[in-house]
Amino acid sequence: MPGLRAKLSPLLVLIALTAFTAAMAEPDRSLYKLPALTVGLGNDNEGDTIPGPARPNGSIHPSPETPNPSNAGYNPAEPISGFAQLHSQGSGGVTTYGTFLLSPQVGQAAFDEASHLSPKADEILAADAYSVRLARYDTRVEVTPAHYAAIYRLSYPATDQAQLVFDVTRKIGGLVASDQADVKLYPEAGKIVGHVKAKGYWNPALIDIWFVAKFDQKPTAWGVFDKQDRLSGAVEGKTGPDERLGAWQTFKTAAGKPLLVKIAVSFTSAETAEALLDREIPDWSFDRVRRDAQTAWNDRLGEIEVSGLSGAQTRRFYTALYHASIQPRDRTLDQPAKELGRPNWDDHYTLWDTYRTLFPLMSVLRPGDYKANLNSLIHTFDKFGAADTAIIGGQNYHVGQGGDEVDNVLGEALLRGAKGVDWNDAWRVTHFNAFERRRPRYLEAGYFGVGDLSPEPNNQRAKSGSSTPSFALNDYFAAQVARRAGHADEAEFLLKRSQNWRNVWNPDAESDGFKGFVMPRYPDGRFQDIDPKIGWDGKVHNNVGFYEGTAWIYSYDVLQDLDGLVEAMGGRVRFNERLNHALDVGLIDITNEPSFSTPWLFHNLGRADLSSYWAGQVFKHFTDTAYPGDEDAGAMSSNYVFNRLGLFPKLGGDLFYLHGPRHPRSLIHLEGGRRLEILAAKAGPDHPYIAGANFNGKPLSAPFVSQAQLLAGGVLSFVMSGTPGQWAYDGAVLAVETDAPALTDGKTSTVWTASAGQSARFTRPAPVCLKAYTVSVGAEQADPSAWRFSGFDGRRWVTLDERRGERFEHRHATRTFALKTKAYARYRLSLTAGKSVEVAEVELIAGPACR
């Protein structure tokens, strides 16, 4: 018989696998089948994503565990130790969760993970269910999630030693993470209840977590693992700090009759866990729960339809949209009864990561969830007296990566017109942060000093060069909330304080020929003497002066005062040259959050074409199998979604940058039944530039759309091009042909040298209106003082502007000169004084229709 069984097992497995796969494939053409959960599983700058299934923003997230895993608990190359119920997606550093390991076994129940590892076979990763055969035990494990609960289908071989082991005290990697724990078995009821006061998570707080599991069969034996002791027949156990605790149940199983296990997890109480379990999975229908998961993912992924992509590109897009729908976790029903009327969203890893792209994406796709998250932050403040950048396991963590990013989320939402928020309540949160959390150094000296131990409890993250501009940005957003709440004096004060980034701006710091950088500063006023290139590079995690960055990176992170930043860097042309250089030579880590907005800053110079180019370079870092760096709780995946759709959030206002889509059509189903269609003629990798754009048939006058425009719906249309500079929107720097190439290369380090009587000509394919032109000077003191700017009307040169006695305040300076004139196709700059004059750059600035 053993020989016959060995021959039949592969056939039985194939039949079971085929049946499971077929069941998962229904209904046909469903979006839930598209996410590839293999994307991002790697731990080495590949994503740290979770292989197990979840509901959109679900509280529970069952997933397999391996011995030497990523921070999500899994390594595809390793054997499986079991299946934990809670996980975090894409979080670096200290591991979190991997809580309540469920380990199916055959034979004597084993507690130590190394002793019950099993090779895997026939693994299927999908959004609605996970399936694998544990080869060591010839047992197929299937799991599908509800929102707060999950149901397992365990197909053991025929045996009277089918074991189910629960590890109550472990976390990712099999480590003990418990300050205390307890477990209680109810064999006659087919139930087990456990609790851990978890410690050593990413969040240093102690976190109480409970689970309740029920079985559709009664066990035949049971017991408790108390530290290293095996207590057969015991129904209770309790351990103290750093002591292990687990339990097991033994079942008699028959081939073809799986054991069903349903489990819920709560951060409130065991009673809450059981109530949620009975509410969500009142029966034993694995297939019903899976169908409901399929429906939930079809609804969520169906918010965006994309067409014109290859099959692989389509799967990659929906994989990113899936990963952007995992965190934060909606735990609104997992609260004490007195708090159930308020939203409770949890597991923010961290707002420092997600405020830049994940929340703006949510604001467009799901304003209802956006509102709930905003009000949940206020609810967190009311519970704890603060709402911190990291909210994990229901507990605050003032982690100090940058500043107080709750202010950014609330202030940005206000500017984007979020509905359903009491801004007086929001002001209580931002007021506390602005006048208490940022004490004492920042409030007293106007900057966060090198070596300052306050107010951050984790000073290895809080750094002078990164926290100071972050606090200044917080002040800007807090000012918006203050103004809306009717506190005009505080708003004015905070707006002034948002200029504190200048207190760590060292105009004498120099690197690669460029001067002026955000630099760390000592409390006595001295700047820290470090190379602006020194620090975090994504490989050597060196937080010298900056958290996950360098002076080059953080010097572009002044999103609340871009005009002031441009001037501090020497003017618009010098800024353009410097930013191109920084991106060209890899001084900007475009795959990490502090630089998410940096490639789009060219928009603010009238060079949307350069933003389009660099958006394409960013996109290349998202491979078919991985994200660049950690996925960071939806930060990277939402970045991907925006990049492919052709727009990107402009933080500090209500706008989105337009860089142009990478495929022909997207249809976004907005809340309230509205639709936003995004069309892109000639879209593709060889056509990255916008040649024209309109919204609802009307040409766009700038490379932006507003939040209100998007939420109102309609048709956003692009014509894409392989040639830059074709879109002559209001404020665009026009692409021209010229007989003096140094004047249009975007640099002040190259110059055109000429004397009085000499001219440079600029030609466009067709007449275009100008509202201004600029003149820039170079590194040497040989500036022009007098010139004439003219347009050719087909017969003669018409003087449009004439200058005498002009001066430039500093090296590499750019000055702008307004025009009021009709359209011309040819323009000319003629020097009218001087000898060997050096002109570094001339820009022709497009304007609206001519007067």
Side-chain angles (χ1 to χ4, degrees), residues 572 576 599-612 656-660 689-694 698-705 718-719 723-735 764 767-772 843-849:
R572 51 183 292 126
N576 172 80
W600 281 264
L601 296 182
F602 292 106
H603 266 68
N604 302 285
L605 309 173
R607 294 300 306 272
D609 57 314
L610 290 174
S611 294
S612 294
F656 291 85
Y657 296 113
L658 299 178
H659 60 260
Y689 304 107
I690 301 173
N694 68 70
K698 296 181 180 179
L700 289 171
S701 61
F704 306 97
V705 291
F718 297 88
V719 176
T723 305
Q726 300 303 299
W727 187 18
Y729 57 85
D730 186 12
V733 175
L734 296 172
R764 286 276 300 176
V768 62
C769 292
L770 301 186
K771 71 175 186 181
E843 297 173 307
L844 307 187
I845 311 297

Side-chain angles (χ1 to χ4, degrees), residues 17-56:
L17 179 59
T18 302
F20 183 80
T21 305
M24 292 177 71
E26 296 296 327
D28 289 339
R29 301 178 61 82
S30 292
L31 293 173
Y32 77 86
K33 296 185 294 183
L34 292 177
L37 273 65
T38 54
V39 172
L41 292 183
N43 195 33
D44 186 14
N45 290 322
E46 293 181 339
D48 287 326
T49 56
I50 308 169
R55 291 286 181 94

